[in-house]
Amino acid sequence: MKTYAFGRAFAWGVTTLAFTFAASASAADKEPIKVGASISLTSDMAIAGLQQKAGIQMAVDQINEAGGVPGKGGNRPIEVIYGDNAMSPTTAVNALNRILSDRPVAVLQSIRGTHVLPQLPLLQRAKVAGLTISATKKLTEQGNDYIFRFYPNDSVTKPILTRFVVEKLGKKKVGVFYSAEDYGSSGRDEIIKTLDELGIEPVAVESHQPTDKDFTAQLQSLKSAGAEVIFLQTFEAPSALILKQARQLNLDIPFALGVTSIGASAQKLVEARDVEGFYAETAVIDPSFSTDPKVKTWAAEIEKRYGIVPDYTALIDYDATNMLIKAIELYGPDNVELAKGLRRMSYDGMVTTYQSDQTGNMNHAASVIQIHDKRHTEVLRDSVPFEPYAEK
Amino acid sequence: MNRNMNRALIGLSLAVALLLPFTLASGYHLRLANLVGIYLLLVLGLNFVLGYTGLLSFAQVGFFAIGAYTSAILTTDYGFGFWVGLCAAAGAAGLASVIIGEPVLKLRGHYFVFATFVLGEIARLVAMNWDDVTHGASGLSGIPAPTIGGFSFDTDLSFYYIVLAFVLAGIFVSARIEKSKIGRALFAIRESEIAAEAMGIRTRQAKQLAFTLSAVFAGVAGALYGPLNTVISPDVFSFDVSVIVLVSLLLGGTGTIPGAIIGTILITLLPEWLRFLNEYYMMIYGAGIVLLMGFLPKGMMGVLENIRLGKAKKRARPRLDPPGETRRTDRQPGA
Amino acid sequence: MEQLIFNGLTMGCIYALIAFGFILIYNAVGAVNFAQGDLVMVGSYLGILGISYWGLGLLSTMLLVIVGSAAYGYVFQRLAYYPLRDKPTITVVISCLGAGIFMKNGMQVIAGPEPLTMRGFFEQETIQLATLQVPTQSAVIIVLTILLFAIQYWFFFGTALGRRLRATANDKYAARLTGIRVRRMIALAFVISCLLAGIAGFILVPIFLASPSMGFGLVVKAWIGVVIGGFGSVPGAIVGGLIVGLLETFAASYISSAYKDVITMLVLLAVLFLRPQGIFSEAIQEKV
């Protein structure tokens, strides 16, 4: 009798499981070319995810409206299969798995490194290219042939900013303030490495927990160490609070900001006087401040169609999607050929010319902008030398 | 149902479970099945503490993290094999439960709840900040799959059988405990700790055993989670995991093994069925928890029991109680 | 040094307010309210609604927050607690947890996941007091907290209604026997608790930013304060909250900013291991 309940329950459980899976059986073949998008559509991370979605969808809608992607069997439309990463890496991997079961030719991935990293082995196994806009360096250090990064990684952006601050602005006493997690630590590492190359050691290095709200202690530490400039590497919300508190404490030290501190949602949280005169690194100047008429038209179109004001993440994902579409046109919708093609080709996007280096980094340029009255002006655009992909 | 039918049923279920991977539509579903298995271990673990002993614990995620990190660190940074990592994971989690259990199990009711919650949070914070050991926010990657002989269980399909083996072991242990003297002691504590103590039950040791069992189950789950995901990082081990484990058990029916199984399957699969709800899903999830407590405190198994009791006369069976202390309304004589 | 004390006290006041509200519910119904932080969040959003969306003045918005939070508190207890009042308290704990999840995600649907802010209550951001740079918002928080606790004290000890509420918290059954309408008292406890949480939420938006998930971090700190101060004790909640605020600030400054939270948690563990009943002791161990 003791196994009675066990047996019953087990049968129950297994039947439920089997039924469920049977119910969600795979789809039949369709005519459109399927492209996956594994991004955060819900939860706190949806802020960036929805930007990504706008950029991706715009590129897809435009090509579909033009009749589809030219190819051997005629023009075929693109269909995006969205997966929601939400917050945790586990959900992200599940989302990708579900997308992969629909057999897409490639997958556009999240801006969050912690979502992309665990997805890499799946992409390698499925031989499907992943296109991400995350800056986390590790992503292209895994020996994976199927990762393509469209955002200039930290070893492009941070050195450009650091050199600007030290060489052009002449600041020698440098403080670094970073968020104690992946993004912040990665930034900190690159900044300190560049400083080292320039023969400088930071006078103070402070960190904070991602959920902190009070930064007085760290700010005062930086001040008493004599910092002439503070490199800030953290996310939107803490960044806004740090800048506000720095001003309230009359810190009088200029900040050199990471790109997360100047995005649209970050800007909403600060007042003009919090960021006046500060410099920041970014892959490209925010579309709202761009002087490029093409970008301005594009931004207006996005706002009209999707109701959001696009930032640089939308713009770069737009480029990435378009490069993918071009690759499909050139190399066909076979996922393996497509990945190989993406490694080899170069593409002129709105932001820059994308070309892969040996490990999948596509974007090698960055800008330094200055903030006046909450408006951004580009003061420097530079790129880092790289070795284009060569087949072994 | 008689014994033979019962045995046939178990045999059938086992067969279905063994053949399940081949009936599934895609690798995605197979991965979900593996995830269900791992979560089921967590839920079965919670069942010892909440289901049998009546103590609400949020520490599962903490032990899960300890297990996952212990085995991941040993296998990735130090090159030990999966099985060594697994034993270490179970051991570390168990040890933690003994050290922590000492002061924490003395605490009364809700104080205990809160203390276990804090433990989970501390585990996450340590994982996040102890860079040298846990690699901080980036976590560990490249966690290797188990191997037996020369064969590596590195596909979802092969891994499924490893998970299944542990799930079966977990169910077996739970069933044995449930029917044993120690199980009855735990039930007695759930009804009333003071009465149990008065009856001569060593409540301190019994509670510690339940707590340690839950920790060991969670530790094993952690060791299995690493190879499945190949990557672990602190943001995996948030309070949400403890909530999911709790809700799974509540939905299925606290204190019952079938309940644990059904609840875990439902909770893992519901987000899939209800995907069309998009951002409203989590709202419904929250509201669902409130409604569950109000209408179905005994979960799905309670619904089953009500149906059965409705059909047949009331007869003496082990009762399913809502989590926590029992409220006696009326009771049939003769247990 | 004084600057640190001041900053520590500011956050400490917020934690104390939340802790106090939390203890009110705990004393009234014996349940740990996991949704306390989300109640704070609702207050924050009510404040933003008033000031940023409806363009109301400060006082009108405060009124809005007070009335809104009180009403919300009533609804909260009616839906999450009342149906379960005769069931084991664990069900109430879980129900509140679910309600919190509902609130958090509901707000995300309504207002979006982006953090929101509002200007400080005063035009002038800081004033100079001796050597201190005092952010005016912090001053608001501290002054308001003192005021609120003074009002609480007067209410609980100086009015008949307050005495009845205390009686109910002490012993529900005895209270019922003396003719106190226990159901009403419990509802009142929830209303007051939510009210305090809401006000706390409103006044901290300028320094804290509001987002749907802000509740979690706050309530964890408040609970630590409750434990340190003595679980179930009212002065304990207040003192504990203040201690946590100060502890955080000093730990960040003198030890390490990265390990600030870990240190706070370790202090909590130390208290749990060495003196579990906290400062204002309250028997929390099984008397067996």
Side-chain angles (χ1 to χ4, degrees):
Chain A
M1 258 335 223
K2 62 172 85 166
T3 38
Y4 169 63
F6 168 93
R8 237 169 15 100
F10 206 65
W12 245 90
V14 169
T15 319
T16 319
L17 204 66
F19 251 116
T20 316
F21 290 157
S24 10
S26 58
D29 275 299
K30 287 203 183 97
E31 213 233 68
I33 297 178
K34 290 186 236 173
V35 165
S38 173
I39 55 182
S40 295
L41 298 171
T42 60
S43 88
D44 281 356
M45 301 194 186
I47 305 174
L50 293 172
Q51 287 283 343
Q52 288 188 264
K53 184 173 178 191
I56 295 170
Q57 198 60 51
M58 173 81 143
V60 169
D61 286 343
Q62 282 182 332
I63 194 73
N64 285 348
E65 279 156 24
V69 182
K72 265 197 253 179
N75 289 8
R76 294 171 67 186
I78 303 261
E79 182 193 330
V80 185
I81 302 172
Y82 286 101
D84 183 10
N85 291 0
M87 280 210 65
S88 95
T90 316
T91 326
V93 176
N94 279 350
L96 180 67
N97 251 314
R98 198 178 48 75
I99 293 172
L100 287 175
S101 67
D102 275 336
R103 277 184 271 273
V105 302
V107 178
L108 294 145
Q109 293 174 284
S110 174
I111 189 173
R112 294 290 285 201
T114 50
H115 288 186
V116 176
L117 192 60
Q119 293 179 330
L120 293 180
L122 281 87
L123 292 171
Q124 179 89 39
R125 232 183 314 176
K127 296 203 189 353
V128 170
L131 291 75
T132 178
I133 57 171
S134 162
T136 309
K137 274 197 79 183
K138 261 213 289 199
L139 299 177
T140 44
E141 292 168 355
Q142 305 292 313
N144 191 311
D145 300 317
Y146 289 88
I147 184 71
F148 299 86
R149 183 218 302 277
F150 283 79
Y151 192 88
N153 72 36
D154 288 342
S155 55
V156 173
T157 51
K158 317 296 176 192
I160 287 179
L161 177 67
T162 313
R163 280 174 198 277
F164 176 81
V165 167
V166 172
E167 292 170 345
K168 292 272 175 29
L169 299 181
K171 307 281 184 194
K172 300 286 187 271
K173 294 204 193 152
V174 167
V176 181
F177 193 6
Y178 70 100
S179 166
E181 43 63 56
D182 238 8
Y183 169 74
S185 313
S186 172
R188 172 206 62 188
D189 289 338
E190 285 298 326
I191 293 172
I192 293 184
K193 190 165 97 166
T194 315
L195 288 172
D196 193 52
E197 286 165 17
L198 296 167
I200 296 182
E201 210 184 297
V203 298
V205 179
E206 294 287 333
S207 73
H208 72 85
Q209 291 296 315
T211 48
D212 282 352
K213 305 297 179 201
D214 181 58
F215 307 93
T216 332
Q218 295 97 318
L219 288 170
Q220 293 194 313
S221 249
L222 287 159
K223 178 154 186 152
S224 37
E228 297 175 309
V229 67
I230 300 176
F231 281 87
L232 186 61
Q233 290 292 311
T234 183
F235 289 107
E236 294 86 347
S239 159
L241 290 173
I242 290 171
L243 293 167
K244 196 195 287 220
Q245 288 171 16
R247 186 180 47 77
Q248 286 174 342
L249 290 169
N250 286 338
L251 214 67
D252 274 331
I253 305 177
F255 279 84
L257 302 168
V259 64
T260 42
S261 303
I262 58 168
S265 59
Q267 288 293 277
K268 277 198 228 157
L269 299 170
V270 297
E271 298 171 48
R273 47 188 176 154
D274 293 336
V275 288
E276 186 58 32
F278 295 165
Y279 294 91
E281 49 90 356
T282 174
V284 60
I285 189 169
D286 197 275
S288 340
F289 303 112
S290 176
T291 47
D292 185 337
K294 272 198 302 176
V295 173
K296 290 216 262 240
T297 324
W298 171 87
E301 187 65 26
I302 292 239
E303 197 169 348
K304 196 172 80 171
R305 289 195 197 212
Y306 309 104
I308 73 169
V309 177
D311 68 9
Y312 65 91
T313 45
L315 188 55
I316 297 186
D317 246 343
Y318 176 77
D319 272 355
T321 315
N322 273 325
M323 181 169 184
L324 175 63
I325 292 174
K326 192 77 192 164
I328 296 175
E329 185 186 328
L330 293 175
Y331 299 99
D334 173 71
N335 43 295
V336 177
E337 285 308 311
L338 199 52
K340 287 204 203 139
L342 277 168
R343 274 276 191 275
R344 279 181 260 139
M345 68 189 272
S346 85
Y347 174 77
D348 284 322
M350 303 256 272
V351 172
T352 184
T353 304
Y354 298 91
Q355 170 130 37
S356 177
D357 66 2
Q358 210 54 36
T359 52
N361 293 297
M362 313 293 286
N363 189 335
H364 311 275
S367 305
V368 176
I369 59 112
Q370 190 178 25
I371 308 173
H372 280 300
D373 208 18
K374 275 211 185 179
R375 304 194 59 80
H376 301 177
T377 351
E378 194 179 83
V379 293
L380 173 71
R381 180 138 182 97
D382 202 359
S383 62
V384 172
F386 71 99
E387 234 179 79
Y389 179 77
E391 213 131 359
K392 299 261 162 50
Chain B
M1 281 219 197
N2 61 30
R3 218 177 212 146
N4 286 324
M5 261 189 88
N6 196 32
R7 291 229 174 98
L9 203 60
I10 297 174
L12 185 64
S13 322
L14 258 171
V16 175
L18 286 170
L19 294 174
L20 188 69
F22 303 100
T23 68
L24 295 180
S26 71
Y28 166 64
H29 291 124
L30 191 53
R31 181 171 197 271
L32 270 189
N34 280 330
L35 213 53
V36 166
I38 291 178
Y39 268 90
L40 186 52
L41 284 173
L42 288 171
V43 175
L44 285 171
L46 182 65
N47 197 30
F48 288 116
V49 184
L50 176 61
Y52 299 165
T53 324
L55 301 170
L56 177 55
S57 161
F58 283 112
Q60 284 307 83
V61 72
F63 297 125
F64 186 42
I66 292 176
Y69 269 95
T70 306
S71 66
I73 292 171
L74 285 175
T75 54
T76 5
D77 282 346
Y78 294 95
F80 287 101
F82 169 80
W83 303 101
V84 174
L86 178 79
C87 293
L95 184 65
S97 75
V98 170
I99 297 176
I100 292 165
E102 170 56 39
V104 162
L105 286 167
K106 284 200 282 250
L107 304 176
R108 192 206 294 164
H110 306 301
Y111 211 359
F112 173 78
V113 173
F114 176 51
T116 57
F117 164 79
V118 169
L119 292 174
E121 277 299 291
I122 291 183
R124 187 180 61 82
L125 280 174
V126 168
M128 181 80 113
N129 288 300
W130 201 3
D131 279 349
D132 295 337
V133 173
T134 65
H135 296 229
S138 18
L140 290 110
S141 51
I143 301 175
T147 58
I148 297 185
F151 181 72
S152 176
F153 290 80
D154 58 1
T155 61
D156 274 333
L157 177 63
S158 51
F159 196 67
Y160 172 81
Y161 290 101
I162 303 266
V163 174
L164 182 63
F166 279 103
V167 166
L168 288 174
I171 293 177
F172 182 72
V173 170
S174 299
R176 293 302 298 233
I177 298 260
E178 199 177 300
K179 305 299 177 182
S180 74
K181 209 166 109 174
I182 186 73
R184 287 198 291 276
L186 294 175
F187 292 139
I189 297 176
R190 186 180 67 193
E191 307 282 303
S192 160
E193 190 167 339
I194 297 182
E197 186 78 24
M199 282 201 293
I201 294 176
R202 299 161 82 191
T203 56
R204 204 33 212 92
Q205 283 84 332
K207 288 200 288 189
Q208 181 65 66
L209 179 66
F211 198 51
T212 304
L213 275 169
S214 79
V216 169
F217 271 55
V220 170
L224 287 171
Y225 181 78
L228 180 68
N229 222 31
T230 73
V231 167
I232 59 170
S233 56
D235 43 353
V236 172
F237 305 101
S238 68
F239 179 58
D240 295 335
V241 173
S242 279
V243 174
I244 289 176
V245 171
L246 173 66
V247 175
S248 301
L249 189 58
L250 291 172
L251 181 61
T254 325
T256 66
I257 298 170
I261 298 175
I262 295 173
T264 311
I265 293 176
L266 284 176
I267 288 292
T268 312
L269 297 183
L270 270 175
E272 294 306 308
W273 293 337
L274 299 178
R275 211 184 307 137
F276 61 91
L277 288 175
N278 295 320
E279 62 263 30
Y280 294 96
Y281 173 73
M282 284 306 284
M283 278 177 71
I284 294 180
Y285 177 71
I289 295 176
V290 179
L291 292 172
L292 188 65
M293 286 295 98
F295 295 105
L296 283 180
K298 300 187 207 162
M300 304 302 291
M301 291 308 285
V303 170
L304 266 185
E305 180 176 286
N306 286 338
I307 294 175
R308 233 199 14 258
L309 288 174
K311 285 186 190 161
K313 290 198 173 71
K314 280 192 181 155
R315 48 177 198 235
R317 285 200 56 84
R319 290 174 60 241
L320 293 167
D321 295 308
E325 313 131 33
T326 328
R327 289 293 176 127
R328 287 168 207 287
T329 45
D330 57 331
R331 228 202 217 275
Q332 288 293 327
Chain C
M1 168 74 156
E2 301 79 23
Q3 186 75 48
L4 289 177
I5 296 182
F6 195 84
N7 287 329
L9 280 178
T10 309
M11 281 319 290
C13 283
I14 298 284
Y15 298 146
L17 279 173
I18 302 173
F20 183 76
F22 172 77
I23 281 297
L24 269 179
I25 292 182
Y26 179 75
N27 282 345
V29 304
V32 170
N33 179 18
F34 272 90
Q36 195 74 21
D38 302 301
L39 296 172
V40 172
M41 180 267 292
V42 170
S44 299
Y45 274 86
L46 278 172
I48 291 176
L49 181 67
I51 291 202
S52 305
Y53 279 88
W54 290 346
L56 301 175
L58 258 184
L59 284 173
S60 317
T61 311
M62 181 58 95
L63 198 63
L64 171 68
V65 169
I66 290 177
V67 171
S69 303
Y72 194 79
Y74 182 78
V75 171
F76 175 65
Q77 69 83 28
R78 189 67 184 78
L79 294 178
Y81 164 74
Y82 189 72
L84 303 167
R85 64 193 181 285
D86 292 325
K87 299 228 173 83
T89 28
I90 283 187
T91 55
V92 176
V93 173
I94 297 167
S95 170
C96 288
L97 180 62
I101 294 177
F102 176 77
M103 284 189 257
K104 178 173 108 170
N105 287 286
M107 192 55 84
Q108 196 152 62
V109 170
I110 297 175
E114 287 195 8
L116 299 174
T117 188
M118 83 173 65
R119 299 202 71 148
F121 287 9
F122 292 99
E123 257 314 307
Q124 191 177 0
E125 288 244 328
T126 60
I127 51 181
Q128 190 86 19
L129 278 182
T131 49
L132 291 179
Q133 291 282 356
V134 176
T136 46
Q137 193 64 22
S138 302
V140 167
I141 291 175
I142 294 180
V143 167
L144 205 57
T145 306
I146 296 176
L147 190 64
L148 282 169
F149 281 129
I151 295 177
Q152 293 299 304
Y153 187 79
W154 164 79
F155 174 75
F156 279 102
F157 289 90
T159 66
L161 186 58
R163 277 197 291 274
R164 270 182 270 157
L165 191 47
R166 271 168 48 222
T168 315
N170 269 329
D171 188 334
K172 266 207 282 283
Y173 303 106
R176 196 174 272 134
L177 287 174
T178 63
I180 295 178
R181 310 269 274 279
V182 170
R183 231 186 274 175
R184 282 202 192 165
M185 292 298 112
I186 291 179
L188 184 60
F190 271 88
V191 165
I192 297 178
S193 173
C194 204
L195 192 60
L196 289 173
I199 296 177
F202 176 43
I203 60 182
L204 62 73
V205 177
I207 63 170
F208 206 81
L209 300 185
S211 70
S213 51
M214 64 190 283
F216 185 72
L218 284 172
V219 80
V220 171
K221 303 282 170 59
W223 286 345
I224 296 179
V226 160
V227 170
I228 293 179
F231 210 96
S233 142
V234 169
I238 301 174
V239 169
L242 292 172
I243 289 180
V244 171
L246 289 166
L247 182 63
E248 271 192 335
T249 314
F250 278 89
S253 194
Y254 288 109
I255 304 181
S256 154
S257 48
Y259 281 88
K260 179 174 62 117
D261 281 347
V262 177
I263 291 170
T264 311
M265 294 269 182
L266 285 177
V267 169
L268 172 70
L269 275 183
V271 170
L272 275 177
F273 282 24
L274 301 172
R275 194 189 158 84
Q277 63 271 46
I279 298 178
F280 297 83
S281 54
E282 152 106 1
I284 45 89
Q285 296 181 271
E286 286 289 348
K287 293 199 257 296
V288 181

